Amino acid sequence: MIKHKKNSVINRGVDFCIRRLMRVGKVKRGDIIDATGISTVSASKVLSLINKESFITKKGDLLILDGFIDKKHYWHSVSNDEQLMYALDNGCSFEETGLKLSELNVTIKSLSSKSKIKQNLLSSIIKSLNQIKVNHKSALDITYISLKEGSCGEVKRIVPIGLERLADQWRVIAHDLMSPQYPIKTYVLSRIIDFNFVTDDLPRSFKKRSPYSTKKIMEIKFNPRLTKEQIGVFKNKLGINENNILEIDSRLEFELLQRFGEIKKSSNAVWPIIISIGDKKCM
């Protein structure tokens, strides 16, 4: 069994090799270097570590998978379907998938794939996420367009604590410094029309929380018209247990109800956004 050093470059190389071997059946030293950027010496060390496994055949700088791997083995924990789907949802890097673009015949299409995000916004969010760990000063002033009727842009001061992609949207999870107790909210990146990096001292009472710190436990009631089999697949999709209980991040409750249930829009929201879709004939 391969032993790992936590967060080491060797560990990254080993995990990449496992994914590539499980999904392609072979891996070269050059693949390790291309995927992870580690040195030739480190890549050779990775090959040597994995070569000790009984189900591996080594031919020079090439390893070939030629044996059975039990599902309880560590290899499955870093190369299972759940890990691959997560990697596909979050950038499809060679390191995280173990697959080159030519081998990854998967298309991830999004309605918002052509949406424009303000230049340098993402970099500023990443900077804020990391700098707050150093000096407790990093925030962003943003001008945000909401769906409230008449919205032309509202200025907010936020402290980013995470990024996520939900369905068709990239969003920043952040503390709202302009609301009492600094609640955690989400802001769609394509709706931020202006921003400014701020290094003023944060309020003394401010304490950064995890974006996943507030959970909600809900009892789910399914539509009685659904078949037993339909209910089964939706339980599996949403992670609902046998007692119809679902644990979810509180901030995702609205999206859950919007996607799978019925929820009334706020009375001051403009909805629907699109009221007609017509075909346009090509000239």
Side-chain angles (χ1 to χ4, degrees):
M1 186 69 174
I2 299 168
K3 293 183 179 179
H4 300 277
K5 291 182 179 178
K6 190 175 181 181
N7 297 326
S8 70
V9 292
I10 300 298
N11 183 66
R12 286 178 53 205
V14 166
D15 287 353
F16 163 76
C17 279
I18 290 171
R19 292 174 191 128
R20 186 149 181 82
L21 284 165
M22 291 289 283
R23 292 164 186 161
V24 179
K26 59 184 179 181
V27 63
K28 296 185 297 185
R29 183 174 63 182
D31 293 330
I32 306 169
I33 297 169
D34 290 344
T36 64
I38 66 177
S39 68
T40 302
V41 173
S42 294
S44 297
K45 190 177 293 185
V46 168
L47 289 181
S48 297
L49 278 169
I50 298 184
N51 184 42
K52 296 176 182 178
E53 301 287 356
S54 59
F55 36 75
I56 291 295
T57 297
K58 189 173 189 294
K59 294 183 177 179
D61 286 340
L62 176 69
L63 298 183
I64 300 172
L65 182 67
D66 63 359
F68 174 77
I69 302 171
D70 188 274
K71 287 188 177 180
K72 294 180 180 178
H73 200 283
Y74 173 77
W75 285 46
H76 282 277
S77 69
V78 294
S79 63
N80 55 31
D81 284 356
E82 184 178 341
Q83 185 278 329
L84 179 57
M85 283 191 283
Y86 181 85
L88 293 175
D89 279 341
N90 290 275
C92 304
S93 75
F94 187 21
E95 179 178 348
E96 289 301 316
T97 63
L99 301 165
K100 298 176 182 177
L101 289 178
S102 59
E103 299 163 336
L104 187 61
N105 193 21
V106 174
T107 302
I108 299 177
K109 290 197 173 180
S110 166
L111 289 174
S112 62
S113 59
K114 294 182 180 179
S115 64
K116 301 292 185 182
I117 294 175
K118 195 77 174 174
Q119 189 173 13
N120 297 324
L121 172 60
L122 197 55
S123 298
S124 294
I125 290 170
I126 298 294
K127 181 180 177 183
S128 181
L129 282 168
N130 288 281
Q131 207 153 302
I132 192 172
K133 300 173 185 175
V134 178
N135 58 21
H136 196 66
K137 286 186 175 183
S138 180
L140 287 177
D141 282 344
I142 64 172
T143 304
Y144 190 72
I145 304 292
S146 71
L147 291 181
K148 292 179 182 178
E149 189 164 359
S151 174
C152 296
E154 183 180 354
V155 176
K156 299 174 179 289
R157 178 162 290 189
I158 65 171
V159 176
I161 55 175
L163 281 162
E164 68 180 5
R165 194 184 87 175
L166 185 66
D168 291 329
Q169 297 177 334
W170 273 104
R171 319 190 314 173
V172 57
I173 310 165
H175 284 282
D176 176 5
L177 289 185
M178 300 175 76
S179 295
Q181 299 179 346
Y182 320 120
I184 294 173
K185 299 181 180 179
T186 55
Y187 303 91
V188 180
L189 296 196
S190 59
R191 291 199 217 156
I192 298 175
I193 61 171
D194 201 6
F195 70 94
N196 183 43
F197 193 78
V198 180
T199 56
D200 297 345
D201 288 337
L202 297 175
R204 288 192 175 187
S205 58
F206 173 79
K207 185 176 181 181
K208 189 181 77 162
R209 303 199 305 273
S210 164
Y212 314 108
S213 60
T214 54
K215 299 285 186 181
K216 188 164 188 177
I217 297 175
M218 299 187 293
E219 184 176 2
I220 303 298
K221 291 184 179 179
F222 287 99
N223 191 320
R225 293 168 58 197
L226 290 170
T227 65
K228 176 183 174 182
E229 289 75 16
Q230 287 172 325
I231 290 174
V233 296
F234 276 103
K235 278 189 170 184
N236 181 57
K237 178 182 180 67
L238 297 172
I240 300 169
N241 70 19
E242 65 275 8
N243 297 317
N244 289 343
I245 300 298
L246 172 64
E247 183 177 316
I248 192 170
D249 294 326
S250 296
R251 60 192 175 75
L252 296 179
E253 181 182 0
F254 178 82
E255 279 80 9
L256 176 74
L257 292 172
Q258 190 177 50
R259 245 189 110 184
F260 298 103
E262 286 187 334
I263 186 169
K264 291 182 179 179
K265 298 291 180 185
S266 171
S267 60
N268 63 354
V270 179
W271 196 265
I273 294 171
I274 297 174
I275 59 172
S276 176
I277 298 177
D279 292 332
K280 186 177 176 68
K281 293 182 179 179
C282 297
M283 299 299 291

